[in-house]
Amino acid sequence: MAVVANQHRSHTVIDESTTPVTVFTGFLGAGKTTAILNILKRVNPEYNIVLLKNEFGDAETDSALVRESHVQVTEMTNGCLCCVLVGQMKRALEEMKEKFHPDRIIIETSGSAFPAPIAWQIREMESSGFHLDAILTVIDCVNFCGYEDTSYTARLQAQYTDLILLNKWENISERQLDLVVDHVNDLNTDTPKVKINADTGVDPEVIFGLDTNLFSLAERESTASEVSRSHHSQEIDLIEVVRKWSGDPAQLISSADFIDLLKHLPSEDVYRVKGLVRLSDAVADEADTPAATPPAADASASGLLYIVNHAFGRYTFTPLTVNAHQHEGVLARLTVMGNGLRMYLPKVQKAIEASDDEISCHWAH
């Protein structure tokens, strides 16, 4: 491992060959990926951090966003790390350690993952050179009081954590923030709460080296019952859209229609829309920033391929530039997440002009 000034150490004495692992949890749209990217910007460039991401569906949206920042990332899709993919995580960590020789691994879980099985897997791998350093929970201050009532997993994430990171607090009033903190304190009074700065994130010195005591292997039997109760299939509806592009400009999705769809999806029901979409024209995000166009893109012939990221009523479009050639045949690969999505399926299908065989659905209840 590289010898780095100000290298972050756990309180436990660990061997130089041991890789500390930090786990980020937080509900859908809480801002985990952005928080991690901001943290990485503040770390010594010689300190080698590798990211393992778990995403709903197969859109790999957040992974694409991370790659646009030139960070090494491995993704695990089509399942949840806390249940379906927990066995695959072991292989992924071992491969990352062998290939990249990281000084630290950050795991970003899917929005409805309970961290206990992930923590147990890492603890079982201590003899293989892995050390569970911390479990961190990102709280979306704008929406937490809404989804806390409907998501058992969101409550568990706030309860079982070493540090609570308060995100998007600048977007609400001081009184509203007090109410959010009151709700969080009802679930977890003793765990420290730290505000995430929208521009600079959180100081790595605050989150690295916590040496967690959570989820010891000795506690597994008493805690395991929480896992089945918190599985995302009980509380999250999923709509997945996969459309292939033949190269015909007539297939391109109307930018105006797609943006109109995003603007009219209610945040109380539709938590996330993320994926890749090939649009007919360049677009601007919800803040009315200038439209961004990928280099050398010909919108009239091939459209513009964007990473779309919609969370609780706010959306952004990021031109896909890294490994864009791997997605030349993609017209749309989108995952929609929320509650009560059956009523929105026709709107989604119409805006994307998707046929029935290009859409798959999973209903939570």
Side-chain angles (χ1 to χ4, degrees):
M1 296 172 68
V3 178
V4 183
N6 299 319
Q7 186 171 2
H8 306 284
R9 298 291 189 188
S10 296
H11 304 303
T12 299
V13 177
I14 59 176
D15 187 83
E16 281 293 321
S17 63
T18 298
T19 304
V21 181
T22 301
V23 179
F24 275 76
T25 70
F27 198 63
L28 299 165
K32 298 184 292 295
T33 301
T34 301
I36 291 170
L37 288 175
N38 283 333
I39 289 166
L40 295 179
K41 293 175 184 176
R42 300 181 62 167
V43 174
N44 188 319
E46 295 181 35
Y47 190 66
N48 182 22
I49 296 179
V50 178
L51 177 61
L52 173 63
K53 288 185 55 61
N54 178 212
E55 298 197 45
F56 279 110
D58 65 354
E60 302 175 10
T61 308
D62 295 331
S63 298
L65 286 171
V66 172
R67 289 194 181 93
E68 291 294 327
S69 299
H70 304 286
V71 174
Q72 182 58 50
V73 58
T74 297
E75 64 273 332
M76 299 179 68
T77 59
N78 287 314
C80 177
L81 274 182
C82 78
C83 45
V84 179
L85 299 178
V86 67
Q88 296 179 30
M89 184 184 74
K90 179 178 185 293
R91 293 191 294 275
L93 290 174
E94 291 171 340
E95 290 173 2
M96 292 168 74
K97 186 178 179 71
E98 180 179 355
K99 182 177 181 181
F100 302 114
H101 307 290
D103 293 301
R104 177 177 297 272
I105 293 174
I106 292 178
I107 296 177
E108 180 185 342
T109 69
S110 66
S112 281
F114 181 40
I118 301 166
W120 293 326
Q121 178 72 85
I122 298 168
R123 292 203 183 280
E124 288 180 342
M125 298 175 68
E126 286 186 0
S127 61
S128 300
F130 296 90
H131 174 72
L132 179 62
D133 183 36
I135 296 171
L136 312 175
T137 298
V138 180
I139 295 291
D140 175 359
C141 291
V142 175
N143 299 291
F144 181 75
C145 293
Y147 62 67
E148 175 210 2
D149 293 333
T150 59
S151 173
Y152 180 67
T153 305
R155 297 194 294 274
L156 286 178
Q157 290 169 344
Q159 288 176 293
Y160 293 94
T161 181
D162 295 292
L163 190 66
I164 293 173
L165 303 176
L166 300 173
N167 198 23
K168 308 179 189 178
W169 57 273
E170 302 100 327
N171 298 328
I172 60 177
S173 67
E174 191 170 328
R175 172 59 180 158
Q176 289 172 317
L177 179 58
D178 288 340
L179 290 174
V180 172
V181 173
D182 286 344
H183 277 253
V184 174
N185 281 335
D186 287 342
L187 298 168
N188 190 336
T189 303
D190 298 330
T191 297
K193 287 85 179 171
V194 177
K195 291 179 179 178
I196 296 179
N197 185 288
D199 298 319
T200 60
V202 178
D203 187 346
E205 295 287 350
V206 174
I207 65 171
F208 293 162
L210 298 184
D211 194 26
T212 181
N213 291 317
L214 289 172
F215 302 120
S216 68
L217 293 176
E219 299 172 345
R220 179 186 300 200
E221 186 173 343
S222 61
T223 312
S225 62
E226 302 284 9
V227 178
S228 61
R229 293 180 62 192
S230 66
H231 187 266
H232 60 78
S233 65
Q234 298 179 10
E235 53 185 37
I236 300 296
D237 287 341
L238 293 177
I239 299 174
E240 295 188 82
V241 181
V242 178
R243 292 199 64 197
K244 296 181 179 179
W245 187 50
S246 66
D248 182 0
Q251 268 190 297
L252 295 174
I253 297 169
S254 164
S255 302
D257 290 347
F258 189 72
I259 293 172
D260 186 67
L261 169 69
L262 297 182
K263 287 182 175 180
H264 290 89
L265 293 175
S267 60
E268 63 269 20
D269 294 328
V270 183
Y271 303 153
R272 295 293 305 275
V273 179
K274 61 181 186 178
L276 301 177
V277 61
R278 191 177 298 274
L279 299 179
S280 57
D281 301 291
V283 298
D285 64 22
E286 82 283 1
D288 292 325
T289 57
T293 303
D298 182 357
S300 62
S302 61
L304 300 172
L305 189 60
Y306 285 99
I307 306 165
V308 60
N309 194 4
H310 173 282
F312 292 99
R314 296 173 61 85
Y315 64 86
T316 57
F317 289 88
T318 303
L320 182 67
T321 59
V322 177
N323 297 330
H325 65 281
Q326 297 179 3
H327 306 283
E328 290 177 351
V330 172
L331 185 62
R333 283 177 56 194
L334 296 168
T335 302
V336 185
M337 294 161 275
N339 271 320
L341 295 187
R342 283 184 176 89
M343 70 178 72
Y344 303 107
L345 178 58
K347 293 182 179 180
V348 172
Q349 189 166 2
K350 180 179 179 181
I352 306 173
E353 299 181 359
S355 62
D356 290 342
D357 60 359
E358 293 173 321
I359 293 182
S360 60
C361 304
H362 169 80
W363 308 125
H365 302 289

